Amino acid sequence: MEVLNCPLLSVNVRVWRFWSFVLAHNWRRYISIIPVTVLNVFMFADLYRAWGNIEEVIINAYFAVLYFNAVLRTLILVYNRDKYESFLAGAARVYEEIRALNDDYITKLVATYTKRARFLSISNLALGAFISGCFVVYPLFTGQRGLPYGMFIPGVNNFDSPQYEIFYITQLVLTFPGCCMYIPYTSFFTSSTLFGLVQIKTLQHQLKNFRSHENLTESTGVLNRKLQKLIEDHKRIIRYVKDLNDLVTYICLIEFLSFGLMLCALLFLLNIISVMAQIVIVGAYIFMILTQIYAFYWHSNEVREESMAIAQATYSGPWLNVDDSIKKKLLLMSIRAQRPLEITVGNVYPMTLEMFQSLLNASYSYFTLLRRVYN
């Protein structure tokens, strides 16, 4: 099945293809990556210029880190384009195989998770476009000249005409490709983990029912062939999660480090500002960081928990009156399933809700330390 026609994955892949990050190679790739990268360099230069003004540094650092992650995601995606295309093609092929199974439970399962993946992908794009629009429009209502994102070019005054108008329009235009560089990768992670859950839950269902209740006299040879297919499916799921982890683990590490620091800094900024409009804006930044991190950790945690539930599904199946050779295979499968399938941060620690809580605790601890030192 062509990946562009796979409803669970197509939303994000079509955006990537439009910008020629995958499945194509044309001029759109360069008019998105190069200007956004240059803008990001000027944003980091502005942090150096504003050093000492803690409020300005923290706010501008938030956008600089956001764009840095967008550029980094895209460069890794383009550099490993073949791996991503191979992964997406394999996922689309397996999706079609699962959808073709003649089972009402599996059909409903695929439809439910496909609907959820498409909803999350489309809503992420819509929400990202709305928030990005708010970013670029907000300076117009401050009563003074300001740019959506802080930037510094040596020897150039950003707020004199006509360069102010030029820079403002440039940032306005570059916000759209920047959003397309950042949001679809998050949605790709979500959709891929959801499809991992589809495969795992399908395997669980088949293990519970691999012996037909209508025909309990199936021969050992027939049952062995059915079980061998389920074992191959389990191996395929293990490879799928491993391949997904290889693609995203270092992106997760960079975001863990950068967003952990930014969360601590924004909490500190929220503690020292008093203007209500600024409090609302900083609160929105914190909310976006938390939802971004939580989406990653929640879906990863679901994959981990459901992969271990394969062992329970194996035990719950109709194994009592089957041949010993089949019982041994089921036992080995159950033992393997007790070793969870995990998506990790930098291949160091698994992304679970417990680790998400630990990240929040660490950020808050550093925030309280920073506040005490500042006071």
Side-chain angles (χ1 to χ4, degrees):
M1 181 181 187
E2 186 181 358
V3 65
L4 292 175
N5 296 324
C6 178
L8 190 142
L9 302 169
S10 61
V11 175
N12 310 305
V13 177
R14 288 181 185 277
V15 175
W16 282 348
R17 184 175 181 272
F18 174 82
W19 291 104
S20 79
F21 299 149
V22 296
L23 305 178
H25 186 178
N26 56 48
W27 52 272
R28 290 193 184 95
R29 175 185 302 179
Y30 304 104
I31 67 168
S32 59
I33 296 177
I34 296 175
V36 172
T37 302
V38 173
L39 172 63
N40 192 228
V41 171
F42 291 148
M43 293 166 72
F44 277 105
D46 188 62
L47 296 181
Y48 179 78
R49 176 201 60 81
W51 199 258
N53 185 339
I54 190 167
E55 294 185 26
E56 185 179 1
V57 167
I58 292 176
I59 291 295
N60 291 343
Y62 172 79
F63 291 109
V65 169
L66 198 66
Y67 271 80
F68 173 77
N69 282 329
V71 171
L72 184 64
R73 288 177 173 197
T74 307
L75 292 177
I76 291 177
L77 173 63
V78 172
Y79 181 78
N80 297 308
R81 183 184 62 181
D82 292 340
K83 293 182 180 179
Y84 279 88
E85 290 177 355
S86 176
F87 176 83
L88 291 167
R93 184 172 57 253
V94 174
Y95 178 87
E96 183 64 17
E97 292 176 3
I98 293 176
R99 194 169 66 168
L101 294 174
N102 186 22
D103 189 295
D104 292 338
Y105 172 85
I106 295 175
T107 300
K108 183 178 179 181
L109 177 72
V110 171
T112 299
Y113 278 84
T114 298
K115 183 177 180 181
R116 184 186 302 179
R118 290 183 63 84
F119 172 78
L120 289 174
S121 298
I122 295 172
S123 60
N124 282 345
L125 283 172
L127 183 61
F130 172 76
I131 294 175
S132 298
C134 293
F135 287 162
V136 298
V137 170
Y138 172 75
L140 299 177
F141 297 92
T142 59
Q144 54 186 351
R145 286 194 169 188
L147 292 172
Y149 319 116
M151 57 181 289
F152 173 67
I153 303 176
V156 178
N157 189 330
N158 295 345
F159 306 106
D160 288 342
S161 296
Q163 56 261 36
Y164 170 74
E165 289 79 7
I166 295 173
F167 292 155
Y168 190 97
I169 294 174
T170 300
Q171 291 191 1
L172 174 66
V173 172
L174 292 181
T175 296
F176 176 67
C179 181
C180 292
M181 292 166 64
Y182 187 85
I183 299 297
Y185 200 100
T186 301
S187 299
F188 159 75
F189 181 93
T190 302
S191 298
S192 298
T193 51
L194 286 175
F195 183 53
L197 290 174
V198 169
Q199 297 180 68
I200 292 170
K201 287 181 175 290
T202 297
L203 178 61
Q204 292 173 1
H205 174 72
Q206 291 177 321
L207 281 170
K208 293 176 182 178
N209 301 278
F210 82 94
R211 189 183 185 194
S212 173
H213 292 289
E214 290 79 17
N215 186 11
L216 296 178
T217 60
E218 288 179 307
S219 67
T220 299
V222 172
L223 292 177
N224 259 316
R225 285 192 293 272
K226 288 184 177 181
L227 183 57
Q228 186 62 39
K229 176 62 169 60
L230 297 181
I231 292 173
E232 293 300 324
D233 289 346
H234 191 202
K235 292 180 179 178
R236 184 199 68 217
I237 294 171
I238 294 172
R239 290 194 300 269
Y240 176 88
V241 176
K242 179 182 181 301
D243 291 343
L244 177 60
N245 179 71
D246 291 342
L247 292 176
V248 304
T249 183
Y250 293 110
I251 289 291
C252 293
L253 175 62
I254 296 297
E255 299 212 341
F256 164 76
L257 297 174
S258 59
F259 282 146
L261 291 173
M262 285 309 306
L263 182 59
C264 173
L266 288 171
L267 286 172
F268 174 74
L269 181 59
L270 191 65
N271 185 66
I272 64 175
I273 59 178
S274 57
V275 180
M276 182 54 65
Q278 292 180 333
I279 293 176
V280 172
I281 292 173
V282 174
Y285 296 161
I286 294 174
F287 174 77
M288 285 186 288
I289 287 179
L290 291 178
T291 53
Q292 164 80 11
I293 299 175
Y294 181 76
F296 275 62
Y297 279 75
W298 187 85
H299 287 97
S300 300
N301 186 78
E302 284 295 293
V303 169
R304 185 180 191 275
E305 296 299 319
E306 290 296 336
S307 70
M308 290 191 294
I310 292 175
Q312 183 178 353
T314 304
Y315 179 77
S316 301
W319 56 268
L320 285 174
N321 298 315
V322 298
D323 187 77
D324 286 346
S325 62
I326 296 178
K327 291 180 181 179
K328 291 178 181 177
K329 291 180 181 178
L330 288 171
L331 178 60
L332 291 173
M333 193 173 182
S334 177
I335 293 173
R336 174 59 184 88
Q338 293 177 46
R339 189 171 71 188
L341 305 181
E342 296 175 332
I343 300 173
T344 62
V345 174
N347 288 323
V348 177
Y349 71 85
M351 298 176 67
T352 64
L353 291 180
E354 289 80 8
M355 292 307 302
F356 174 72
Q357 183 180 5
S358 299
L359 172 61
L360 296 184
N361 291 339
S363 297
Y364 186 78
S365 298
Y366 285 118
F367 153 68
T368 55
L369 177 62
L370 182 63
R371 183 178 60 177
R372 184 176 303 172
V373 171
Y374 183 79
N375 290 336

